C-alpha cells in the first residue's frame, strides 16, 4: 500500500487509513493523553505519510513500523513543544475487545504487542532504559547523554546496540508466532 500511496493512489491511501487509523489513534492518545490533540496528531501523521510514502524502503522496516515512527516523531515533537513527558512502554496496558468487527486484526495486534513485550523483557535493565529513552523520551540524545553523564558517542552506540538486539529479538519472536 505504501508503494501505491507513494505513486499518488488515493484508494490505497484510504485502505491504509482504514487499516491503521484506530491503532495510530490508540498510540497517540496513550502518548499525549489528550483526545483532541491525538486526533490532530493522527491527521498530521497521515498527511506526512501521504507526502513521504515514496521514500518508504521495505528493506529497512515494515510498513506499520515505518508509519509508527512517523507518528512517534509527531507525538514527541508535540510533547517537546509542550514540555510533557510521555508514558513509557511498560506503562502501556493493552486490552483486547474480541467483540469488535476487526477481532482478527485486534488479535494479531495483541500478539505483536505480546511479542514486543517478551522481546523487551529479554533486554538487560540498562538496555531497556536506553530503548525506552530512545523511543519515548522527548529529550534529545545529547540531553540524555548530559543527564546520564556519559559521552554522546557512547550513548549513541548503546542506543544502536540495544535497538539492534531488540529488533533481532522481535524477529525471533515473530518467527515463533508465524510457526505456531
Amino acid at each position: 500500500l505504501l508503494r501505491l500511496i507513494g505513486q499518488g493512489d488515493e484508494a490505497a491511501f484510504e485502505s491504509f487509513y482504514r487499516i491503521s487509523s484506530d491503532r495510530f489513534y490508540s498510540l497517540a492518545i496513550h502518548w499525549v493523553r489528550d483526545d483532541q490533540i491525538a486526533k490532530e496528531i493522527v491527521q498530521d501523521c497521515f498527511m506526512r505519510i501521504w507526502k513521504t510514502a515514496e521514500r518508504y524502503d521495505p528493506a529497512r522496516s515494515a510498513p506499520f513500523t515505518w508509519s509508527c515512527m512517523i507518528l512517534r516523531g509527531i507525538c514527541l515533537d508535540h510533547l517537546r513543544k509542550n514540555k510533557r513527558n510521555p508514558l513509557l512502554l511498560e506503562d502501556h496496558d493493552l486490552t483486547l475487545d474480541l467483540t469488535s468487527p476487526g477481532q482478527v486484526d485486534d488479535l494479531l495486534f495483541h500478539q505483536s504487542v505480546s511479542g514486543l513485550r517478551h522481546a523487551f523483557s529479554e533486554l538487560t535493565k540498562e538496555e531497556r532504559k536506553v530503548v525506552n529513552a530512545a523511543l519515548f523520551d522527548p529529550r534529545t540524545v545529547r540531553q540524555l547523554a548530559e543527564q546520564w553523564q556519559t559521552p554522546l558517542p557512547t550513548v549513541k552506540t548503546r542506543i544502536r546496540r540495544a535497538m539492534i538486539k531488540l529488533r533481532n529479538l522481535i524477529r525471533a519472536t515473530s518467527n515463533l508466532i508465524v510457526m505456531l
Side-chain angles (χ1 to χ4, degrees), residues 134-169:
L135 294 177
F136 302 108
D137 196 312
R139 290 173 290 182
T140 65
V141 176
R142 183 175 306 282
Q143 290 169 329
L144 291 171
E146 289 170 5
Q147 179 195 344
W148 296 339
Q149 298 177 344
T150 306
L152 181 61
T154 303
V155 171
K156 288 181 177 181
T157 300
R158 287 178 185 167
I159 290 172
R160 179 168 161 53
R161 286 181 181 160
M163 295 297 276
I164 289 170
K165 182 176 178 181
L166 181 62
R167 180 179 61 207
N168 291 335
L169 288 166

Side-chain angles (χ1 to χ4, degrees), residues 11 50 55 61 86 91 161 167 171:
W50 175 257
R55 291 186 283 186
S61 64
D91 295 333
R161 286 181 181 160
R167 180 179 61 207
R171 284 182 179 160

Side-chain angles (χ1 to χ4, degrees), residues 13-78:
F13 184 71
E14 184 179 328
S15 294
F16 187 74
Y17 179 86
R18 275 193 319 253
I19 290 168
S20 54
S21 61
D22 288 344
R23 290 188 183 104
F24 287 179
Y25 173 74
S26 294
L27 290 168
I29 194 78
H30 173 73
W31 282 327
V32 299
R33 296 291 187 180
D34 183 299
D35 178 62
Q36 191 59 39
I37 292 171
K39 288 177 183 175
E40 291 172 15
I41 286 172
V42 170
Q43 182 179 12
D44 290 348
C45 178
F46 278 104
M47 290 307 297
R48 198 168 296 174
I49 289 169
W50 175 257
K51 292 176 183 177
T52 61
E54 74 277 356
R55 291 186 283 186
Y56 168 68
D57 180 4
R60 295 190 64 189
S61 64
F64 188 73
T65 304
W66 180 80
S67 303
C68 282
M69 292 309 289
I70 291 172
L71 177 71
R72 174 190 166 270
I74 296 169
C75 286
L76 289 176
D77 288 346
H78 168 78

